[in-house]
Amino acid sequence: MRSTPARPDSTSSLGPSSMLQSEPWERFQTDLGRTTHRLHGPGWDALVVEERSRAGRIWYAPYGPVLQHPAALPDALEALREAARAESVGWLRVEPQLPAPAQTPFGDAVQRQNATAASLVALLRAHGARPAPRDIQPAHTRWVDLTRPPEAILKAMTGTNRNLWRRHRDKGLTLSSSSHPSAADTVIELLHRTAGRKGFTAQTSEYLRTAARSLGPPGSCTAYLSSVDGTVVSALLTYDSPTTRIFAHSGMDAAVRKLRPNQPLIAQALLDAAAQGQSVGDLFGIAPLSRPDHPWTGFSAFKRSFGGADVALGGTWDVPVGRARYAAYRGMRRARDGAVQLRARARTAVSEARGSRASN
């Protein structure tokens, strides 16, 4: 639709928007067959990906628009809304970010990120945005400081993680990495096995293979593998900008759980990112400490064991464009969620009834 020569410079800012609003990410989305748009104005820029629902088209800006200052957000929302209206788009889905400059000290970057996330949420509410039914990208994450020497990065981890990395060869574990697209196949297999075992929904094989093909050759996607006797037992896929490594997807063979192959693999990926000059390791998605009942609590504690600091990213917000279509979407969503909850309650009731009969 419309483009601009003034693309965000992924070498000049910290955080996940440096990747998800970058030119490599735009090429990846195009390779998936999705329509993308670049819009910009004074103090802001946005990569928008066109998506579809039963209620119509959606424009989604993953960790965008990217702002130079908070005051740019109202103009950005209005410009995006006007452009979407001209294209008969029903609503926008945004995750605005005000990233810290790349040279910002880690502690200052974390403090700035948490403060600006809160202020942007207030601005979103004031300008008619509504929290999306679910966050598309994580609203909270864990950042690890990679600007320190390797020993300092390791020291910030728990002693268990540190020792698992130092002794992984003693346990027969071999660590390797590759940006070749074929390396992602092993990640995909283990990820889907883990998803089936733990009951979460993973990205499709097509999505992940396209990511590896689109992002691997320019060095923006790396597969990390942990093997025993030539068999891969754990794997992860990272997305990389010049400043930030995102730990996006991972899986493990449950049969080797006692070897704990994930810990040395993640530690190695953090050390490698630091060695190639990246500043932040984004472990990508945690439950806030204020939510001890959150379903992510268990693996959030695991991620915190690698050191670093909790960071707020603001969450996903809907900005209505065609209000009738957006209202229809919310109605369909409520009906679907209600049906899911009814089915879940019915399954629980059946399970409890069977348990009661068995105990009798």
Side-chain angles (χ1 to χ4, degrees), residues 223-241:
Y224 275 83
L225 311 175
S226 178
S227 306
V228 176
D229 296 329
T231 299
V232 178
V233 295
S234 70
L236 65 89
L237 203 66
T238 67
Y239 297 142
D240 295 296
S241 78

PDB file of all heavy atoms in Angstrom, residues 223-241:
ATOM      1  N   ALA A 223      19.141 -22.095  14.910  1.00  0.00           N
ATOM      2  CA  ALA A 223      18.691 -23.291  15.628  1.00  0.00           C
ATOM      3  C   ALA A 223      19.816 -23.774  16.534  1.00  0.00           C
ATOM      4  O   ALA A 223      20.964 -23.901  16.084  1.00  0.00           O
ATOM      5  CB  ALA A 223      18.295 -24.383  14.651  1.00  0.00           C
ATOM      6  N   TYR A 224      19.494 -24.029  17.793  1.00  0.00           N
ATOM      7  CA  TYR A 224      20.431 -24.594  18.761  1.00  0.00           C
ATOM      8  C   TYR A 224      19.984 -26.007  19.102  1.00  0.00           C
ATOM      9  O   TYR A 224      18.798 -26.240  19.374  1.00  0.00           O
ATOM     10  CB  TYR A 224      20.483 -23.734  20.022  1.00  0.00           C
ATOM     11  CG  TYR A 224      21.452 -22.581  19.909  1.00  0.00           C
ATOM     12  CD1 TYR A 224      21.080 -21.409  19.291  1.00  0.00           C
ATOM     13  CD2 TYR A 224      22.751 -22.684  20.398  1.00  0.00           C
ATOM     14  CE1 TYR A 224      21.976 -20.354  19.156  1.00  0.00           C
ATOM     15  CE2 TYR A 224      23.655 -21.648  20.276  1.00  0.00           C
ATOM     16  CZ  TYR A 224      23.261 -20.487  19.654  1.00  0.00           C
ATOM     17  OH  TYR A 224      24.162 -19.445  19.524  1.00  0.00           O
ATOM     18  N   LEU A 225      20.946 -26.952  19.082  1.00  0.00           N
ATOM     19  CA  LEU A 225      20.624 -28.359  19.285  1.00  0.00           C
ATOM     20  C   LEU A 225      21.516 -28.942  20.367  1.00  0.00           C
ATOM     21  O   LEU A 225      22.724 -28.683  20.407  1.00  0.00           O
ATOM     22  CB  LEU A 225      20.827 -29.143  17.984  1.00  0.00           C
ATOM     23  CG  LEU A 225      20.189 -28.562  16.706  1.00  0.00           C
ATOM     24  CD1 LEU A 225      20.597 -29.383  15.491  1.00  0.00           C
ATOM     25  CD2 LEU A 225      18.674 -28.498  16.840  1.00  0.00           C
ATOM     26  N   SER A 226      20.926 -29.767  21.228  1.00  0.00           N
ATOM     27  CA  SER A 226      21.660 -30.521  22.239  1.00  0.00           C
ATOM     28  C   SER A 226      21.476 -31.998  21.928  1.00  0.00           C
ATOM     29  O   SER A 226      20.344 -32.478  21.816  1.00  0.00           O
ATOM     30  CB  SER A 226      21.125 -30.192  23.634  1.00  0.00           C
ATOM     31  OG  SER A 226      21.793 -30.947  24.616  1.00  0.00           O
ATOM     32  N   SER A 227      22.593 -32.718  21.775  1.00  0.00           N
ATOM     33  CA  SER A 227      22.535 -34.109  21.311  1.00  0.00           C
ATOM     34  C   SER A 227      23.217 -35.056  22.287  1.00  0.00           C
ATOM     35  O   SER A 227      24.153 -34.672  23.006  1.00  0.00           O
ATOM     36  CB  SER A 227      23.212 -34.239  19.943  1.00  0.00           C
ATOM     37  OG  SER A 227      22.664 -33.337  19.009  1.00  0.00           O
ATOM     38  N   VAL A 228      22.750 -36.303  22.286  1.00  0.00           N
ATOM     39  CA  VAL A 228      23.382 -37.394  23.017  1.00  0.00           C
ATOM     40  C   VAL A 228      23.605 -38.527  22.016  1.00  0.00           C
ATOM     41  O   VAL A 228      22.644 -39.021  21.417  1.00  0.00           O
ATOM     42  CB  VAL A 228      22.502 -37.876  24.189  1.00  0.00           C
ATOM     43  CG1 VAL A 228      23.147 -39.083  24.855  1.00  0.00           C
ATOM     44  CG2 VAL A 228      22.279 -36.763  25.199  1.00  0.00           C
ATOM     45  N   ASP A 229      24.860 -38.902  21.827  1.00  0.00           N
ATOM     46  CA  ASP A 229      25.200 -39.976  20.877  1.00  0.00           C
ATOM     47  C   ASP A 229      24.604 -39.726  19.495  1.00  0.00           C
ATOM     48  O   ASP A 229      24.089 -40.632  18.832  1.00  0.00           O
ATOM     49  CB  ASP A 229      24.734 -41.338  21.404  1.00  0.00           C
ATOM     50  CG  ASP A 229      25.445 -41.736  22.692  1.00  0.00           C
ATOM     51  OD1 ASP A 229      26.615 -41.335  22.864  1.00  0.00           O
ATOM     52  OD2 ASP A 229      24.817 -42.435  23.516  1.00  0.00           O
ATOM     53  N   GLY A 230      24.634 -38.474  19.062  1.00  0.00           N
ATOM     54  CA  GLY A 230      24.160 -38.127  17.736  1.00  0.00           C
ATOM     55  C   GLY A 230      22.667 -37.922  17.617  1.00  0.00           C
ATOM     56  O   GLY A 230      22.184 -37.537  16.539  1.00  0.00           O
ATOM     57  N   THR A 231      21.911 -38.126  18.688  1.00  0.00           N
ATOM     58  CA  THR A 231      20.460 -37.920  18.669  1.00  0.00           C
ATOM     59  C   THR A 231      20.129 -36.607  19.369  1.00  0.00           C
ATOM     60  O   THR A 231      20.527 -36.394  20.522  1.00  0.00           O
ATOM     61  CB  THR A 231      19.728 -39.070  19.378  1.00  0.00           C
ATOM     62  OG1 THR A 231      20.025 -40.290  18.696  1.00  0.00           O
ATOM     63  CG2 THR A 231      18.222 -38.833  19.385  1.00  0.00           C
ATOM     64  N   VAL A 232      19.394 -35.727  18.683  1.00  0.00           N
ATOM     65  CA  VAL A 232      19.022 -34.439  19.272  1.00  0.00           C
ATOM     66  C   VAL A 232      17.953 -34.659  20.335  1.00  0.00           C
ATOM     67  O   VAL A 232      16.917 -35.295  20.072  1.00  0.00           O
ATOM     68  CB  VAL A 232      18.514 -33.463  18.198  1.00  0.00           C
ATOM     69  CG1 VAL A 232      18.077 -32.144  18.847  1.00  0.00           C
ATOM     70  CG2 VAL A 232      19.599 -33.205  17.167  1.00  0.00           C
ATOM     71  N   VAL A 233      18.211 -34.146  21.535  1.00  0.00           N
ATOM     72  CA  VAL A 233      17.281 -34.351  22.644  1.00  0.00           C
ATOM     73  C   VAL A 233      16.625 -33.055  23.113  1.00  0.00           C
ATOM     74  O   VAL A 233      15.629 -33.088  23.836  1.00  0.00           O
ATOM     75  CB  VAL A 233      17.973 -35.045  23.824  1.00  0.00           C
ATOM     76  CG1 VAL A 233      18.394 -36.463  23.432  1.00  0.00           C
ATOM     77  CG2 VAL A 233      19.179 -34.246  24.317  1.00  0.00           C
ATOM     78  N   SER A 234      17.187 -31.919  22.754  1.00  0.00           N
ATOM     79  CA  SER A 234      16.517 -30.647  23.018  1.00  0.00           C
ATOM     80  C   SER A 234      16.963 -29.659  21.953  1.00  0.00           C
ATOM     81  O   SER A 234      18.056 -29.788  21.377  1.00  0.00           O
ATOM     82  CB  SER A 234      16.830 -30.108  24.419  1.00  0.00           C
ATOM     83  OG  SER A 234      18.170 -29.679  24.527  1.00  0.00           O
ATOM     84  N   ALA A 235      16.090 -28.687  21.669  1.00  0.00           N
ATOM     85  CA  ALA A 235      16.368 -27.751  20.582  1.00  0.00           C
ATOM     86  C   ALA A 235      15.629 -26.453  20.824  1.00  0.00           C
ATOM     87  O   ALA A 235      14.584 -26.428  21.488  1.00  0.00           O
ATOM     88  CB  ALA A 235      15.922 -28.360  19.250  1.00  0.00           C
ATOM     89  N   LEU A 236      16.189 -25.369  20.304  1.00  0.00           N
ATOM     90  CA  LEU A 236      15.511 -24.083  20.387  1.00  0.00           C
ATOM     91  C   LEU A 236      15.818 -23.270  19.143  1.00  0.00           C
ATOM     92  O   LEU A 236      16.820 -23.497  18.466  1.00  0.00           O
ATOM     93  CB  LEU A 236      15.891 -23.329  21.667  1.00  0.00           C
ATOM     94  CG  LEU A 236      17.319 -22.868  21.871  1.00  0.00           C
ATOM     95  CD1 LEU A 236      17.541 -21.467  21.298  1.00  0.00           C
ATOM     96  CD2 LEU A 236      17.663 -22.838  23.359  1.00  0.00           C
ATOM     97  N   LEU A 237      14.928 -22.334  18.856  1.00  0.00           N
ATOM     98  CA  LEU A 237      15.055 -21.462  17.695  1.00  0.00           C
ATOM     99  C   LEU A 237      15.078 -20.026  18.194  1.00  0.00           C
ATOM    100  O   LEU A 237      14.195 -19.613  18.960  1.00  0.00           O
ATOM    101  CB  LEU A 237      13.870 -21.673  16.750  1.00  0.00           C
ATOM    102  CG  LEU A 237      14.059 -21.296  15.274  1.00  0.00           C
ATOM    103  CD1 LEU A 237      15.087 -22.204  14.616  1.00  0.00           C
ATOM    104  CD2 LEU A 237      12.720 -21.402  14.535  1.00  0.00           C
ATOM    105  N   THR A 238      16.101 -19.275  17.777  1.00  0.00           N
ATOM    106  CA  THR A 238      16.195 -17.874  18.175  1.00  0.00           C
ATOM    107  C   THR A 238      15.967 -16.975  16.967  1.00  0.00           C
ATOM    108  O   THR A 238      16.290 -17.352  15.829  1.00  0.00           O
ATOM    109  CB  THR A 238      17.569 -17.547  18.785  1.00  0.00           C
ATOM    110  OG1 THR A 238      18.579 -17.660  17.774  1.00  0.00           O
ATOM    111  CG2 THR A 238      17.897 -18.473  19.945  1.00  0.00           C
ATOM    112  N   TYR A 239      15.414 -15.784  17.224  1.00  0.00           N
ATOM    113  CA  TYR A 239      15.318 -14.721  16.224  1.00  0.00           C
ATOM    114  C   TYR A 239      16.259 -13.610  16.671  1.00  0.00           C
ATOM    115  O   TYR A 239      16.247 -13.208  17.835  1.00  0.00           O
ATOM    116  CB  TYR A 239      13.893 -14.189  16.123  1.00  0.00           C
ATOM    117  CG  TYR A 239      12.871 -15.207  15.649  1.00  0.00           C
ATOM    118  CD1 TYR A 239      11.585 -15.225  16.193  1.00  0.00           C
ATOM    119  CD2 TYR A 239      13.175 -16.126  14.652  1.00  0.00           C
ATOM    120  CE1 TYR A 239      10.641 -16.154  15.765  1.00  0.00           C
ATOM    121  CE2 TYR A 239      12.237 -17.046  14.218  1.00  0.00           C
ATOM    122  CZ  TYR A 239      10.970 -17.061  14.780  1.00  0.00           C
ATOM    123  OH  TYR A 239      10.042 -17.979  14.348  1.00  0.00           O
ATOM    124  N   ASP A 240      17.052 -13.095  15.729  1.00  0.00           N
ATOM    125  CA  ASP A 240      18.130 -12.186  16.085  1.00  0.00           C
ATOM    126  C   ASP A 240      18.087 -10.878  15.316  1.00  0.00           C
ATOM    127  O   ASP A 240      18.011 -10.877  14.080  1.00  0.00           O
ATOM    128  CB  ASP A 240      19.479 -12.852  15.824  1.00  0.00           C
ATOM    129  CG  ASP A 240      19.705 -14.051  16.718  1.00  0.00           C
ATOM    130  OD1 ASP A 240      19.788 -13.858  17.931  1.00  0.00           O
ATOM    131  OD2 ASP A 240      19.793 -15.180  16.192  1.00  0.00           O
ATOM    132  N   SER A 241      18.168  -9.775  16.052  1.00  0.00           N
ATOM    133  CA  SER A 241      18.509  -8.481  15.482  1.00  0.00           C
ATOM    134  C   SER A 241      19.936  -8.171  15.910  1.00  0.00           C
ATOM    135  O   SER A 241      20.509  -8.896  16.730  1.00  0.00           O
ATOM    136  CB  SER A 241      17.548  -7.400  16.002  1.00  0.00           C
ATOM    137  OG  SER A 241      17.907  -7.026  17.325  1.00  0.00           O
TER     138      SER A 241
END
